DNA sequence: ATGGTAGTCTCACTA
């Protein structure tokens, strides 16, 4: 089973690119972030026509996450527990009802603006809530793929210029420690397992010709519980969609899980 | 280069 994560930066603006990629890459499950629409505005029909079921957690203008699956989607949970007042649509979790069921989540971690800002504090609080959810899922023993835009580059070699970006947002020690806490719980970074060399990126800023200079960061991740890691056979970044016209600033990251 | 670009019921905000 091929499971991918992709921050599409607007499902409506990206629909032709997404439909083309679904046809080419043929993922079984897709975890989408930054759909930027209420659920009523999601172009469901075009995607369902390619054989996908859809679970949505959207909002107007900002954020928005979704799960696409060729298998039935069950036990859908919207929102990350721990803050009932949080209205930002950044988390959806469900069980993919394949022969051997697998839990998945589509996660859009707040970018955090600048280290020390109010938005950065919201990011750290979100990560604390995410850690609690990771603990629960790890303890359940479920096979789970927790995918999304984490807005954290795990190590200096996941960044095009670690000197320039030293202790800036996406790279700071305090953010990396939160990610490290998740890994230390027993989660595996699927991409890193098969690609130990570094300098492989999933996001390139629209500005300053970052894509053409390969000035990227690896901030989109698939983190797997031990039960899912036991079934992990491959993982890579698919750079093709980033090279297209009207591309998202992120490109898909995928992994293969034994069915 | 505190710049640059893209998306959104915008003329500002988020990323």
């Amino acid at each position: 089973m091929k499971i991918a994560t992709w921050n599409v930066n607007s499902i409506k603006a990206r629909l032709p690119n997404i439909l083309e990629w679904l046809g080419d890459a043929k993922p079984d499950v897709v975890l989408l972030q930054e759909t930027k629409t209420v659920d009523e505005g999601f172009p469901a029909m075009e995607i369902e026509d390619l054989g996908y079921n859809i679970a949505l957690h959207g909002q107007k203008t900002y954020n928005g996450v979704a799960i696409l699956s060729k298998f039935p989607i069950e036990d859908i949970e919207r929102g990350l527990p721990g803050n009932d007042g949080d209205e930002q649509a950044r988390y959806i979790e469900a069980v993919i009802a394949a022969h051997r069921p697998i839990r998945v989540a589509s996660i859009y971690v707040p970018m955090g603006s600048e280290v020390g800002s109010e938005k950065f504090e919201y990011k750290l609080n979100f990560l604390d809530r995410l850690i609690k959810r990771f603990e629960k899922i790890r303890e359940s023993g479920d096979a789970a793929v927790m995918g999304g835009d984490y807005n954290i580059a795990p190590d200096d070699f996941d960044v095009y210029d670690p000197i320039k970006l030293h202790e800036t947002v996406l790279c700071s020690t305090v953010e990396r420690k939160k990610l490290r806490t998740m890994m230390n719980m027993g989660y595996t970074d699927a991409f890193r397992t098969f690609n130990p060399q570094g300098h492989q990126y999933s996001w390139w800023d629209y500005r300053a010709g970052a894509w053409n200079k390969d000035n990227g960061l690896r901030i989109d991740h698939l983190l797997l519980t031990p039960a899912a890691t036991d079934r992990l056979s491959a993982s890579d970044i698919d750079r093709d969609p980033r090279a297209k016209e009207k591309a998202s600033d992120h490109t898909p990251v995928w992994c293969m899980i034994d069915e």
Side-chain angles (χ1 to χ4, degrees):
Chain A
M1 186 190 306
K2 185 175 185 179
I3 302 178
T5 181
W6 191 10
N7 179 325
V8 291
N9 184 23
S10 169
I11 189 80
K12 291 177 188 170
R14 215 65 58 216
L15 189 60
N17 303 49
I18 291 165
L19 294 175
E20 184 186 12
W21 179 74
L22 290 173
D24 289 347
K26 298 180 175 55
D28 297 292
V29 178
V30 187
L31 310 168
L32 298 173
Q33 301 87 38
E34 277 208 274
T35 53
K36 290 188 169 179
T37 177
V38 293
D39 296 351
E40 294 72 32
F42 193 97
M45 260 197 304
E46 291 91 333
I47 292 170
E48 285 166 347
D49 284 348
L50 296 179
Y52 291 95
N53 301 295
I54 302 175
L56 298 173
H57 182 40
Q59 71 176 83
K60 188 181 164 187
T61 310
Y62 301 117
N63 310 315
V65 285
I67 299 170
L68 316 180
S69 171
K70 295 214 166 173
F71 299 94
I73 305 175
E74 296 177 349
D75 300 333
I76 300 163
E77 305 265 6
R78 295 174 178 85
L80 189 57
N83 180 0
D84 295 338
D86 188 353
E87 292 179 356
Q88 299 192 29
R90 295 178 174 276
Y91 187 88
I92 185 169
E93 185 187 309
V95 173
I96 303 302
H99 172 61
R100 281 193 285 174
I102 187 152
R103 186 175 294 275
V104 297
S106 179
I107 307 161
Y108 179 39
V109 174
M111 196 277 275
S113 187
E114 285 179 56
V115 174
S117 67
E118 196 172 314
K119 289 193 178 76
F120 191 76
E121 290 307 307
Y122 173 70
K123 179 180 196 172
L124 297 182
N125 174 271
F126 184 96
L127 288 166
D128 286 337
R129 289 156 58 201
L130 193 60
I131 286 166
K132 288 200 175 76
R133 188 68 197 151
F134 269 52
E135 274 171 353
K136 266 213 164 131
I137 292 171
R138 169 68 188 85
E139 285 165 10
S140 75
D142 284 358
V145 175
M146 310 298 283
D149 176 1
Y150 283 75
N151 269 316
I152 302 172
D155 293 289
D156 271 354
F157 74 171
D158 295 309
V159 175
Y160 73 97
D161 188 344
I163 309 279
K164 179 183 167 188
L165 299 177
H166 180 68
E167 290 299 337
T168 59
V169 73
L170 316 184
C171 303
S172 73
T173 303
V174 60
E175 294 165 76
R176 286 175 170 174
K177 270 184 102 165
K178 303 285 187 195
L179 199 59
R180 185 62 51 200
T181 299
M182 296 177 196
M183 309 303 287
N184 290 344
M185 259 178 233
Y187 284 82
T188 294
D189 177 340
F191 176 83
R192 175 65 73 225
T193 301
F194 297 96
N195 303 274
Q197 75 276 29
H199 305 289
Q200 305 291 307
Y201 311 124
S202 66
W203 171 78
W204 298 259
D205 201 304
Y206 283 124
R207 299 165 290 189
W211 166 250
N212 289 322
K213 292 184 262 188
D214 199 26
N215 286 350
L217 280 74
R218 193 174 71 93
I219 57 176
D220 301 88
H221 310 297
L222 295 159
L223 302 189
L224 276 55
T225 59
T229 306
D230 286 345
R231 296 160 57 185
L232 174 65
S233 63
S235 179
D236 210 342
I237 295 170
D238 184 349
R239 292 168 60 101
D240 291 348
R242 187 63 179 82
K244 304 273 184 185
E245 286 297 308
K246 285 213 51 142
S248 169
D249 45 353
H250 297 253
T251 211
V253 183
W254 59 267
C255 70
M256 202 66 80
I257 302 287
D258 296 339
E259 288 190 35

